[in-house]
Structure formats: structure tokens, C-alpha cells
Amino acid sequence: MKRGVIIILLLLVLVPLVSASLDIQGPSLSTYNVGNQLDISGVIQEAEQSFGQLKMMLICPDASLPLLMKSITLQANKPFEFQEKLPVPISMQGNCFLQVTFEVNNNIVEQTNSKNFEITKQLEGTFTASAQQVQLGKEIEIIGTVKRSDDLNIASGFATLFFNKENTTVFVDTTQLEEGNLKYIFQTSKNPAGSYEVDIQVTDNFGNENYFDNALNFKLMDEINLDLELSKTKILPGEEIKLTGVLTDTELNAIKKGLASILFLNQTFEAEIRSGKFSKILTIPSEIKSTEHIIEVQAVDEHGNNKKEVISLEVIPVQTLLE
């Protein structure tokens, strides 16, 4: 009896007592977008030499999907290290984890789960306009940056910009995103003046997206300066008078081109605006009443900026000789 116990003790000393194990690290991030890679590493160790399959399964609330199956050979009591980068499929979303399994002859030998992480299709973005207040005819540059959840710019994609005025979309355009950067020039000419809000919808080449409501805002102004002058302010019936106008923008730059509509004595006359000026010769009817009269001028430039001003003149009575 004692001899048998001694033999058992000798065998226990001679045979290493190594337990099987599977340890993993990762993924390193808490949130991933479609197109990212899940980084996972680990160590497997078995007491006996084994030939089997290393499997990795992505498990999310609504679905599970195998991402990896590879054959590996384990030497007895020798750690086998692995390191993998796995794709994030477009069909998977939510709070997920990776299940790592080592199988031999379709039997699970070791299995463990990674920490939980979030898979989302939502992108992040920041956007600014080059100015908050612009006169019609000036450009507005819209710039922005679109990133994934790992804080890296998206590789490529496109953005749709919705220009809204008083809760109504008045203009829509689409532009490419180059390495996650948005650069768009908005031509303000001929657009309605007022306050604008811009919504921006972005989508990358993997299908990640986001809709940024009221991403930025600006105001378009359509007022210009109009100064009127008459060659004289008192005139006799039947005489001619010269009306001159000088037009500048809000920065006092001369208006290049436009048209002035002149309303006088219920008649409308037009004068072309060139290099910030216009002029018109008006003939005073001989039968006009001797009193004060108003000349109304509406000026509009090539971009839609406009201004209305009035100027008055006095028609004095003709002196008659009494015999």
C-alpha cells in the first residue's frame, strides 16, 4: 500500500500541473463606427499539444456574426499569442462584445468574452461660416470637419446642405468630403435677404451618417446706400432738370451695375447704374402745378440689393406781365 502511494506522488512531481487558460485584451475603444477595426489580442495555453480552431464571434443585441476562424497548433504548456484586427460589419449595431473560442474536433475547449463596446453609425462634426452677416453678392465659405467615433477624420463621403429661411428650405446642394473636410462656397447673389439656418447631412463611404440640425446660421442683407441730388431744387414749368444718384454698399464700395426706376408725375423712367452712379434728365411739363413735387427712386443692383429714396423739387409759377 505504501509503495503505491509513493508511485503516485512521484508521478505528480514528474508531470507539470499546468491548467488550460484563454486570456484576451481589448477591444481598446468604447465606441466604434462601421469601417473601424476591432483590435483584440490574447494568449492561449493548454496542458497538452492541441490542433484546433480559434474562433471569434461578434455578438450584438439583434444579431451575431462570426468574424474569424483560423486553425492553430498549441504546444504543450507553451503560451500561444494572437493579435487580430477585425472589421466592423455594416449590419451590426448596439452594445456588443466579442466571444473568443478555442475548439478541438468541434468541441469547445476554452471560451471567454471581451468587454462590451458600442457600434454606431453616427458621425461627429463641427461647422462654421466665414461670416455671420453678409451683403448679397458676397460669398460665404462654409467649412467643417467630420469625424468617426475614434476621433479620426472619415476617409471620404459627401454632405448635403439645406439652406432654410423662416422654416422653409430655399436651396439645397451637395458637396464631396475630402479626408473628412468640408469646404463649400455659398453664392449669395439673387437670394432672398433675411436670416438663414443651415442643416447639414453627412454620409461616409461605409454608410455612417448624421444629420446636423441648425449646424450654423447667418444673415443676408440687401440694403445699399442711395444719395440723390437735383441740378436745382426750384424750377419753372417747361424747364429741364438733372437727377443724379450715387450708390454704395454697406462698406461704402461703389455699386458696379444695376438699374434705377424713377417715378415722377405718375410716369416711370429708367436709368442704368454704372460704377456707382446714374443720371437722368427730366423735363418739367409746362402745365404742371406750381407747388412741391416728389421724385421717387427705386435702385436695384445686379445681386438683388435695393434701396428706395425720394427727393422733392419746387415748381415756381411763371411771372406774367399785365398790360
Side-chain angles (χ1 to χ4, degrees), residues 110-273:
E110 303 291 343
Q111 187 177 77
T112 190
N113 296 335
S114 74
K115 65 178 184 180
N116 286 48
F117 51 88
E118 191 77 17
I119 295 179
T120 178
K121 290 185 179 180
Q122 183 167 303
L123 297 172
E124 302 298 328
T126 55
F127 308 94
T128 58
S130 58
Q132 296 297 305
Q133 193 165 278
V134 177
Q135 187 163 21
L136 293 183
K138 307 288 186 179
E139 293 181 345
I140 294 180
E141 183 179 32
I142 296 174
I143 59 175
T145 303
V146 180
K147 296 178 177 290
R148 305 181 309 194
S149 57
D150 58 3
D151 204 38
L152 295 177
N153 285 18
I154 63 173
S156 62
F158 63 91
T160 303
L161 294 88
F162 302 85
F163 294 83
N164 307 308
K165 182 178 181 290
E166 297 176 354
N167 297 320
T168 300
T169 300
V170 297
F171 182 69
V172 179
D173 203 1
T174 300
T175 186
Q176 292 289 326
L177 297 172
E178 300 292 340
E179 296 183 353
N181 295 311
L182 167 67
K183 185 176 182 180
Y184 179 83
I185 301 298
F186 178 55
Q187 303 291 346
T188 64
S189 183
K190 303 295 185 182
N191 283 287
S195 297
Y196 283 75
E197 295 178 351
V198 183
D199 300 340
I200 302 178
Q201 184 177 24
V202 296
T203 305
D204 74 0
N205 55 323
F206 291 104
N208 299 296
E209 60 183 359
N210 203 351
Y211 190 95
F212 298 91
D213 185 55
N214 193 15
L216 55 91
N217 55 73
F218 57 83
K219 184 178 182 180
L220 295 185
M221 301 179 298
D222 64 353
E223 287 194 6
I224 51 178
N225 303 309
L226 172 58
D227 296 319
L228 300 176
E229 185 178 356
L230 292 170
S231 55
K232 51 185 175 179
T233 57
K234 294 184 179 182
I235 191 168
L236 293 170
E239 289 187 331
E240 289 184 340
I241 191 170
K242 183 179 181 180
L243 171 66
T244 303
V246 177
L247 299 100
T248 56
D249 61 19
T250 54
E251 298 176 351
L252 301 182
N253 299 309
I255 298 298
K256 293 181 179 180
K257 294 192 297 182
L259 188 68
S261 296
I262 303 163
L263 180 63
F264 178 52
L265 298 177
N266 295 321
Q267 293 187 65
T268 301
F269 308 90
E270 290 185 345
E272 187 176 353
I273 300 169

Side-chain angles (χ1 to χ4, degrees), residues 4-113:
V5 172
I6 292 172
I7 293 173
I8 293 172
L9 290 174
L10 287 172
L11 289 173
L12 289 174
V13 171
L14 293 174
V15 177
L17 295 176
V18 178
S19 60
S21 65
L22 171 57
D23 298 314
I24 60 173
Q25 294 82 42
S28 59
L29 300 179
S30 59
T31 306
Y32 290 85
N33 282 112
V34 175
N36 286 143
Q37 289 187 317
L38 302 168
D39 54 318
I40 186 81
S41 61
V43 178
I44 308 175
Q45 185 169 308
E46 295 293 324
E48 298 179 354
Q49 180 173 323
S50 305
F51 177 78
Q53 286 77 42
L54 178 64
K55 296 181 178 181
M56 297 186 185
M57 175 85 72
L58 177 60
I59 301 177
C60 296
D62 297 327
S64 299
L65 189 67
L67 299 183
L68 177 81
M69 184 177 72
K70 63 190 301 185
S71 297
I72 61 173
T73 300
L74 303 183
Q75 302 297 324
N77 300 321
K78 184 176 180 181
F80 177 88
E81 297 182 358
F82 61 88
Q83 188 171 2
E84 302 291 341
K85 290 187 178 296
L86 307 174
V88 178
I90 193 171
S91 59
M92 308 297 279
Q93 290 188 74
N95 190 263
C96 309
F97 63 90
L98 284 171
Q99 186 176 80
V100 182
T101 305
F102 177 60
E103 294 183 2
V104 176
N105 296 326
N106 295 321
N107 294 316
I108 296 176
V109 177
E110 303 291 343
Q111 187 177 77
T112 190
N113 296 335

